[in-house]
PDB file of all heavy atoms in Angstrom:
ATOM      1  N   LEU A   1       0.847  -1.175  -0.010  1.00 98.00           N
ATOM      2  CA  LEU A   1       0.000   0.009   0.008  1.00 98.00           C
ATOM      3  C   LEU A   1       0.885   1.222   0.012  1.00 98.00           C
ATOM      4  O   LEU A   1       2.046   1.168   0.432  1.00 98.00           O
ATOM      5  CB  LEU A   1      -0.908   0.022   1.226  1.00 98.00           C
ATOM      6  CG  LEU A   1      -2.093  -0.942   1.241  1.00 98.00           C
ATOM      7  CD1 LEU A   1      -1.645  -2.359   1.549  1.00 98.00           C
ATOM      8  CD2 LEU A   1      -3.151  -0.504   2.257  1.00 98.00           C
ATOM      9  N   ALA A   2       0.340   2.324  -0.490  1.00 98.00           N
ATOM     10  CA  ALA A   2       1.099   3.587  -0.478  1.00 98.00           C
ATOM     11  C   ALA A   2       0.182   4.750  -0.113  1.00 98.00           C
ATOM     12  O   ALA A   2      -1.001   4.758  -0.483  1.00 98.00           O
ATOM     13  CB  ALA A   2       1.752   3.846  -1.832  1.00 98.00           C
ATOM     14  N   ALA A   3       0.741   5.698   0.610  1.00 98.00           N
ATOM     15  CA  ALA A   3       0.068   6.946   0.911  1.00 98.00           C
ATOM     16  C   ALA A   3       0.604   7.976  -0.070  1.00 98.00           C
ATOM     17  O   ALA A   3       1.805   8.294  -0.061  1.00 98.00           O
ATOM     18  CB  ALA A   3       0.351   7.375   2.336  1.00 98.00           C
ATOM     19  N   VAL A   4      -0.271   8.469  -0.955  1.00 98.00           N
ATOM     20  CA  VAL A   4       0.135   9.402  -2.007  1.00 98.00           C
ATOM     21  C   VAL A   4      -0.543  10.736  -1.764  1.00 98.00           C
ATOM     22  O   VAL A   4      -1.753  10.864  -1.903  1.00 98.00           O
ATOM     23  CB  VAL A   4      -0.232   8.842  -3.399  1.00 98.00           C
ATOM     24  CG1 VAL A   4       0.254   9.792  -4.486  1.00 98.00           C
ATOM     25  CG2 VAL A   4       0.352   7.447  -3.602  1.00 98.00           C
ATOM     26  N   LYS A   5       0.234  11.720  -1.388  1.00 98.00           N
ATOM     27  CA  LYS A   5      -0.309  13.042  -1.060  1.00 98.00           C
ATOM     28  C   LYS A   5       0.221  14.073  -2.054  1.00 98.00           C
ATOM     29  O   LYS A   5       1.438  14.225  -2.199  1.00 98.00           O
ATOM     30  CB  LYS A   5       0.125  13.436   0.372  1.00 98.00           C
ATOM     31  CG  LYS A   5      -0.545  14.691   0.904  1.00 98.00           C
ATOM     32  CD  LYS A   5      -0.179  14.897   2.366  1.00 98.00           C
ATOM     33  CE  LYS A   5      -0.901  16.111   2.960  1.00 98.00           C
ATOM     34  NZ  LYS A   5      -0.552  16.298   4.388  1.00 98.00           N
ATOM     35  N   GLY A   6      -0.705  14.716  -2.751  1.00 98.00           N
ATOM     36  CA  GLY A   6      -0.295  15.703  -3.737  1.00 98.00           C
ATOM     37  C   GLY A   6       0.494  15.120  -4.883  1.00 98.00           C
ATOM     38  O   GLY A   6       1.343  15.785  -5.487  1.00 98.00           O
ATOM     39  N   GLY A   7       0.255  13.837  -5.168  1.00 97.00           N
ATOM     40  CA  GLY A   7       0.940  13.176  -6.270  1.00 97.00           C
ATOM     41  C   GLY A   7       2.252  12.563  -5.898  1.00 97.00           C
ATOM     42  O   GLY A   7       2.937  11.948  -6.746  1.00 97.00           O
ATOM     43  N   LYS A   8       2.660  12.683  -4.630  1.00 97.00           N
ATOM     44  CA  LYS A   8       3.954  12.113  -4.189  1.00 97.00           C
ATOM     45  C   LYS A   8       3.748  11.057  -3.116  1.00 97.00           C
ATOM     46  O   LYS A   8       2.888  11.210  -2.234  1.00 97.00           O
ATOM     47  CB  LYS A   8       4.823  13.239  -3.624  1.00 97.00           C
ATOM     48  CG  LYS A   8       5.248  14.256  -4.659  1.00 97.00           C
ATOM     49  CD  LYS A   8       6.149  15.343  -4.059  1.00 97.00           C
ATOM     50  CE  LYS A   8       6.577  16.329  -5.130  1.00 97.00           C
ATOM     51  NZ  LYS A   8       7.473  17.379  -4.556  1.00 97.00           N
ATOM     52  N   SER A   9       4.546   9.999  -3.205  1.00 98.00           N
ATOM     53  CA  SER A   9       4.497   8.960  -2.182  1.00 98.00           C
ATOM     54  C   SER A   9       5.138   9.489  -0.914  1.00 98.00           C
ATOM     55  O   SER A   9       6.282   9.916  -0.913  1.00 98.00           O
ATOM     56  CB  SER A   9       5.265   7.718  -2.677  1.00 98.00           C
ATOM     57  OG  SER A   9       5.374   6.760  -1.628  1.00 98.00           O
ATOM     58  N   ILE A  10       4.378   9.428   0.189  1.00 98.00           N
ATOM     59  CA  ILE A  10       4.936   9.873   1.464  1.00 98.00           C
ATOM     60  C   ILE A  10       5.145   8.709   2.419  1.00 98.00           C
ATOM     61  O   ILE A  10       5.769   8.857   3.477  1.00 98.00           O
ATOM     62  CB  ILE A  10       4.089  10.974   2.130  1.00 98.00           C
ATOM     63  CG1 ILE A  10       2.709  10.468   2.521  1.00 98.00           C
ATOM     64  CG2 ILE A  10       3.988  12.194   1.215  1.00 98.00           C
ATOM     65  CD1 ILE A  10       1.970  11.399   3.467  1.00 98.00           C
ATOM     66  N   ASP A  11       4.621   7.533   2.049  1.00 98.00           N
ATOM     67  CA  ASP A  11       4.876   6.316   2.831  1.00 98.00           C
ATOM     68  C   ASP A  11       4.384   5.109   2.025  1.00 98.00           C
ATOM     69  O   ASP A  11       3.517   5.243   1.159  1.00 98.00           O
ATOM     70  CB  ASP A  11       4.194   6.342   4.187  1.00 98.00           C
ATOM     71  CG  ASP A  11       4.891   5.411   5.212  1.00 98.00           C
ATOM     72  OD1 ASP A  11       5.831   4.683   4.836  1.00 98.00           O
ATOM     73  OD2 ASP A  11       4.498   5.451   6.385  1.00 98.00           O
ATOM     74  N   THR A  12       4.941   3.971   2.316  1.00 98.00           N
ATOM     75  CA  THR A  12       4.532   2.727   1.665  1.00 98.00           C
ATOM     76  C   THR A  12       4.822   1.568   2.598  1.00 98.00           C
ATOM     77  O   THR A  12       5.657   1.673   3.495  1.00 98.00           O
ATOM     78  CB  THR A  12       5.222   2.564   0.295  1.00 98.00           C
ATOM     79  OG1 THR A  12       4.673   1.444  -0.404  1.00 98.00           O
ATOM     80  CG2 THR A  12       6.724   2.356   0.459  1.00 98.00           C
ATOM     81  N   SER A  13       4.115   0.460   2.386  1.00 98.00           N
ATOM     82  CA  SER A  13       4.170  -0.620   3.382  1.00 98.00           C
ATOM     83  C   SER A  13       5.373  -1.539   3.246  1.00 98.00           C
ATOM     84  O   SER A  13       5.853  -2.059   4.245  1.00 98.00           O
ATOM     85  CB  SER A  13       2.873  -1.439   3.326  1.00 98.00           C
ATOM     86  OG  SER A  13       2.644  -1.973   2.040  1.00 98.00           O
ATOM     87  N   MET A  14       5.859  -1.782   2.039  1.00 96.00           N
ATOM     88  CA  MET A  14       7.081  -2.584   1.911  1.00 96.00           C
ATOM     89  C   MET A  14       8.263  -1.783   2.407  1.00 96.00           C
ATOM     90  O   MET A  14       8.194  -0.549   2.500  1.00 96.00           O
ATOM     91  CB  MET A  14       7.303  -3.031   0.455  1.00 96.00           C
ATOM     92  CG  MET A  14       6.374  -4.178   0.042  1.00 96.00           C
ATOM     93  SD  MET A  14       6.661  -4.678  -1.672  1.00 96.00           S
ATOM     94  CE  MET A  14       5.703  -6.201  -1.713  1.00 96.00           C
ATOM     95  N   GLY A  15       9.352  -2.441   2.714  1.00 95.00           N
ATOM     96  CA  GLY A  15      10.432  -1.733   3.380  1.00 95.00           C
ATOM     97  C   GLY A  15      11.795  -1.829   2.729  1.00 95.00           C
ATOM     98  O   GLY A  15      11.970  -1.487   1.571  1.00 95.00           O
ATOM     99  N   PHE A  16      12.766  -2.322   3.495  1.00 93.00           N
ATOM    100  CA  PHE A  16      14.135  -2.552   2.994  1.00 93.00           C
ATOM    101  C   PHE A  16      14.094  -3.578   1.866  1.00 93.00           C
ATOM    102  O   PHE A  16      14.855  -3.505   0.900  1.00 93.00           O
ATOM    103  CB  PHE A  16      14.997  -3.056   4.157  1.00 93.00           C
ATOM    104  CG  PHE A  16      16.426  -3.368   3.816  1.00 93.00           C
ATOM    105  CD1 PHE A  16      17.274  -2.362   3.340  1.00 93.00           C
ATOM    106  CD2 PHE A  16      16.929  -4.642   3.964  1.00 93.00           C
ATOM    107  CE1 PHE A  16      18.604  -2.654   3.028  1.00 93.00           C
ATOM    108  CE2 PHE A  16      18.247  -4.944   3.663  1.00 93.00           C
ATOM    109  CZ  PHE A  16      19.087  -3.935   3.183  1.00 93.00           C
ATOM    110  N   THR A  17      13.165  -4.523   1.961  1.00 89.00           N
ATOM    111  CA  THR A  17      12.934  -5.523   0.939  1.00 89.00           C
ATOM    112  C   THR A  17      11.420  -5.669   0.742  1.00 89.00           C
ATOM    113  O   THR A  17      10.627  -5.141   1.516  1.00 89.00           O
ATOM    114  CB  THR A  17      13.502  -6.911   1.370  1.00 89.00           C
ATOM    115  OG1 THR A  17      12.648  -7.464   2.395  1.00 89.00           O
ATOM    116  CG2 THR A  17      14.919  -6.806   1.859  1.00 89.00           C
ATOM    117  N   PRO A  18      11.010  -6.405  -0.286  1.00 88.00           N
ATOM    118  CA  PRO A  18       9.561  -6.642  -0.504  1.00 88.00           C
ATOM    119  C   PRO A  18       8.936  -7.607   0.507  1.00 88.00           C
ATOM    120  O   PRO A  18       7.773  -7.969   0.362  1.00 88.00           O
ATOM    121  CB  PRO A  18       9.523  -7.239  -1.918  1.00 88.00           C
ATOM    122  CG  PRO A  18      10.782  -6.835  -2.561  1.00 88.00           C
ATOM    123  CD  PRO A  18      11.801  -6.843  -1.436  1.00 88.00           C
ATOM    124  N   LEU A  19       9.678  -7.997   1.523  1.00 92.00           N
ATOM    125  CA  LEU A  19       9.129  -8.907   2.551  1.00 92.00           C
ATOM    126  C   LEU A  19       8.291  -8.137   3.576  1.00 92.00           C
ATOM    127  O   LEU A  19       7.371  -8.722   4.195  1.00 92.00           O
ATOM    128  CB  LEU A  19      10.282  -9.631   3.267  1.00 92.00           C
ATOM    129  CG  LEU A  19       9.929 -10.592   4.401  1.00 92.00           C
ATOM    130  CD1 LEU A  19       8.997 -11.705   3.929  1.00 92.00           C
ATOM    131  CD2 LEU A  19      11.210 -11.200   4.991  1.00 92.00           C
ATOM    132  N   ALA A  20       8.594  -6.860   3.789  1.00 95.00           N
ATOM    133  CA  ALA A  20       7.915  -6.101   4.845  1.00 95.00           C
ATOM    134  C   ALA A  20       6.508  -5.682   4.440  1.00 95.00           C
ATOM    135  O   ALA A  20       6.160  -5.684   3.261  1.00 95.00           O
ATOM    136  CB  ALA A  20       8.755  -4.896   5.203  1.00 95.00           C
ATOM    137  N   GLY A  21       5.723  -5.294   5.435  1.00 97.00           N
ATOM    138  CA  GLY A  21       4.413  -4.748   5.188  1.00 97.00           C
ATOM    139  C   GLY A  21       3.297  -5.692   5.553  1.00 97.00           C
ATOM    140  O   GLY A  21       3.368  -6.396   6.561  1.00 97.00           O
ATOM    141  N   VAL A  22       2.240  -5.709   4.728  1.00 97.00           N
ATOM    142  CA  VAL A  22       1.077  -6.551   5.021  1.00 97.00           C
ATOM    143  C   VAL A  22       1.367  -8.001   4.625  1.00 97.00           C
ATOM    144  O   VAL A  22       2.294  -8.281   3.880  1.00 97.00           O
ATOM    145  CB  VAL A  22      -0.187  -6.048   4.279  1.00 97.00           C
ATOM    146  CG1 VAL A  22      -0.524  -4.626   4.700  1.00 97.00           C
ATOM    147  CG2 VAL A  22      -0.015  -6.129   2.753  1.00 97.00           C
ATOM    148  N   MET A  23       0.577  -8.891   5.153  1.00 96.00           N
ATOM    149  CA  MET A  23       0.638 -10.311   4.787  1.00 96.00           C
ATOM    150  C   MET A  23       0.390 -10.465   3.289  1.00 96.00           C
ATOM    151  O   MET A  23      -0.383  -9.748   2.696  1.00 96.00           O
ATOM    152  CB  MET A  23      -0.421 -11.025   5.591  1.00 96.00           C
ATOM    153  CG  MET A  23      -0.657 -12.478   5.283  1.00 96.00           C
ATOM    154  SD  MET A  23      -2.053 -13.017   6.308  1.00 96.00           S
ATOM    155  CE  MET A  23      -2.227 -14.708   5.825  1.00 96.00           C
ATOM    156  N   MET A  24       1.112 -11.436   2.660  1.00 95.00           N
ATOM    157  CA  MET A  24       0.989 -11.636   1.221  1.00 95.00           C
ATOM    158  C   MET A  24       0.732 -13.110   0.901  1.00 95.00           C
ATOM    159  O   MET A  24       0.413 -13.895   1.781  1.00 95.00           O
ATOM    160  CB  MET A  24       2.251 -11.125   0.518  1.00 95.00           C
ATOM    161  CG  MET A  24       2.569  -9.674   0.863  1.00 95.00           C
ATOM    162  SD  MET A  24       4.132  -9.108   0.186  1.00 95.00           S
ATOM    163  CE  MET A  24       4.798  -8.217   1.608  1.00 95.00           C
ATOM    164  N   GLY A  25       0.859 -13.472  -0.378  1.00 92.00           N
ATOM    165  CA  GLY A  25       0.595 -14.838  -0.798  1.00 92.00           C
ATOM    166  C   GLY A  25       1.468 -15.853  -0.102  1.00 92.00           C
ATOM    167  O   GLY A  25       0.991 -16.820   0.507  1.00 92.00           O
ATOM    168  N   THR A  26       2.816 -15.635  -0.170  1.00 91.00           N
ATOM    169  CA  THR A  26       3.767 -16.533   0.503  1.00 91.00           C
ATOM    170  C   THR A  26       4.656 -15.811   1.497  1.00 91.00           C
ATOM    171  O   THR A  26       5.422 -16.447   2.225  1.00 91.00           O
ATOM    172  CB  THR A  26       4.683 -17.248  -0.515  1.00 91.00           C
ATOM    173  OG1 THR A  26       5.493 -16.257  -1.184  1.00 91.00           O
ATOM    174  CG2 THR A  26       3.869 -18.034  -1.528  1.00 91.00           C
ATOM    175  N   ARG A  27       4.570 -14.478   1.547  1.00 92.00           N
ATOM    176  CA  ARG A  27       5.417 -13.670   2.435  1.00 92.00           C
ATOM    177  C   ARG A  27       4.694 -13.310   3.701  1.00 92.00           C
ATOM    178  O   ARG A  27       3.501 -13.006   3.666  1.00 92.00           O
ATOM    179  CB  ARG A  27       5.897 -12.431   1.702  1.00 92.00           C
ATOM    180  CG  ARG A  27       7.016 -12.672   0.704  1.00 92.00           C
ATOM    181  CD  ARG A  27       7.286 -11.455  -0.149  1.00 92.00           C
ATOM    182  NE  ARG A  27       6.776 -11.626  -1.499  1.00 92.00           N
ATOM    183  CZ  ARG A  27       6.760 -10.671  -2.431  1.00 92.00           C
ATOM    184  NH1 ARG A  27       7.230  -9.485  -2.158  1.00 92.00           N
ATOM    185  NH2 ARG A  27       6.273 -10.912  -3.631  1.00 92.00           N
ATOM    186  N   SER A  28       5.430 -13.298   4.795  1.00 96.00           N
ATOM    187  CA  SER A  28       4.816 -13.043   6.107  1.00 96.00           C
ATOM    188  C   SER A  28       4.365 -11.610   6.283  1.00 96.00           C
ATOM    189  O   SER A  28       3.424 -11.334   7.015  1.00 96.00           O
ATOM    190  CB  SER A  28       5.842 -13.365   7.206  1.00 96.00           C
ATOM    191  OG  SER A  28       6.978 -12.487   7.114  1.00 96.00           O
ATOM    192  N   GLY A  29       5.049 -10.672   5.592  1.00 96.00           N
ATOM    193  CA  GLY A  29       4.879  -9.268   5.951  1.00 96.00           C
ATOM    194  C   GLY A  29       5.637  -8.997   7.222  1.00 96.00           C
ATOM    195  O   GLY A  29       6.465  -9.793   7.680  1.00 96.00           O
ATOM    196  N   SER A  30       5.405  -7.845   7.823  1.00 97.00           N
ATOM    197  CA  SER A  30       6.166  -7.424   9.003  1.00 97.00           C
ATOM    198  C   SER A  30       5.777  -8.269  10.239  1.00 97.00           C
ATOM    199  O   SER A  30       4.606  -8.467  10.538  1.00 97.00           O
ATOM    200  CB  SER A  30       5.896  -5.951   9.320  1.00 97.00           C
ATOM    201  OG  SER A  30       6.314  -5.148   8.241  1.00 97.00           O
ATOM    202  N   ILE A  31       6.817  -8.785  10.909  1.00 97.00           N
ATOM    203  CA  ILE A  31       6.627  -9.569  12.135  1.00 97.00           C
ATOM    204  C   ILE A  31       7.661  -9.102  13.155  1.00 97.00           C
ATOM    205  O   ILE A  31       8.580  -8.352  12.835  1.00 97.00           O
ATOM    206  CB  ILE A  31       6.778 -11.094  11.899  1.00 97.00           C
ATOM    207  CG1 ILE A  31       8.214 -11.416  11.385  1.00 97.00           C
ATOM    208  CG2 ILE A  31       5.733 -11.619  10.943  1.00 97.00           C
ATOM    209  CD1 ILE A  31       8.566 -12.883  11.422  1.00 97.00           C
ATOM    210  N   ASP A  32       7.535  -9.561  14.394  1.00 97.00           N
ATOM    211  CA  ASP A  32       8.516  -9.307  15.446  1.00 97.00           C
ATOM    212  C   ASP A  32       9.860  -9.908  14.994  1.00 97.00           C
ATOM    213  O   ASP A  32       9.965 -11.114  14.805  1.00 97.00           O
ATOM    214  CB  ASP A  32       8.059  -9.923  16.751  1.00 97.00           C
ATOM    215  CG  ASP A  32       8.971  -9.621  17.920  1.00 97.00           C
ATOM    216  OD1 ASP A  32      10.122  -9.233  17.699  1.00 97.00           O
ATOM    217  OD2 ASP A  32       8.523  -9.790  19.075  1.00 97.00           O
ATOM    218  N   PRO A  33      10.926  -9.091  14.849  1.00 95.00           N
ATOM    219  CA  PRO A  33      12.225  -9.619  14.416  1.00 95.00           C
ATOM    220  C   PRO A  33      12.799 -10.686  15.347  1.00 95.00           C
ATOM    221  O   PRO A  33      13.629 -11.512  14.931  1.00 95.00           O
ATOM    222  CB  PRO A  33      13.130  -8.374  14.380  1.00 95.00           C
ATOM    223  CG  PRO A  33      12.205  -7.219  14.279  1.00 95.00           C
ATOM    224  CD  PRO A  33      10.963  -7.628  15.018  1.00 95.00           C
ATOM    225  N   SER A  34      12.355 -10.710  16.613  1.00 97.00           N
ATOM    226  CA  SER A  34      12.882 -11.691  17.561  1.00 97.00           C
ATOM    227  C   SER A  34      12.498 -13.117  17.177  1.00 97.00           C
ATOM    228  O   SER A  34      13.113 -14.096  17.658  1.00 97.00           O
ATOM    229  CB  SER A  34      12.366 -11.383  18.964  1.00 97.00           C
ATOM    230  OG  SER A  34      12.874 -10.174  19.437  1.00 97.00           O
ATOM    231  N   VAL A  35      11.496 -13.265  16.315  1.00 97.00           N
ATOM    232  CA  VAL A  35      11.127 -14.596  15.834  1.00 97.00           C
ATOM    233  C   VAL A  35      12.325 -15.251  15.134  1.00 97.00           C
ATOM    234  O   VAL A  35      12.537 -16.454  15.234  1.00 97.00           O
ATOM    235  CB  VAL A  35       9.916 -14.536  14.869  1.00 97.00           C
ATOM    236  CG1 VAL A  35       9.654 -15.865  14.171  1.00 97.00           C
ATOM    237  CG2 VAL A  35       8.671 -14.087  15.627  1.00 97.00           C
TER     238      VAL A  35
END
């Protein structure tokens, strides 16, 4: 997902890699790193 304000992305759910963010087909999304 992305927050687009005035035509510019000001935040998005994926992170350093495409693993972060919401739950996906085979990817966990963001979880507690201690796991």
Side-chain angles (χ1 to χ4, degrees):
L1 286 77
V4 183
K5 189 174 183 179
K8 295 181 179 181
S9 173
I10 65 166
D11 204 354
T12 188
S13 57
M14 284 181 169
F16 179 62
T17 73
L19 178 59
V22 300
M23 173 184 179
M24 304 175 224
T26 64
R27 283 170 255 174
S28 64
S30 299
I31 62 167
D32 184 341
S34 295
V35 170

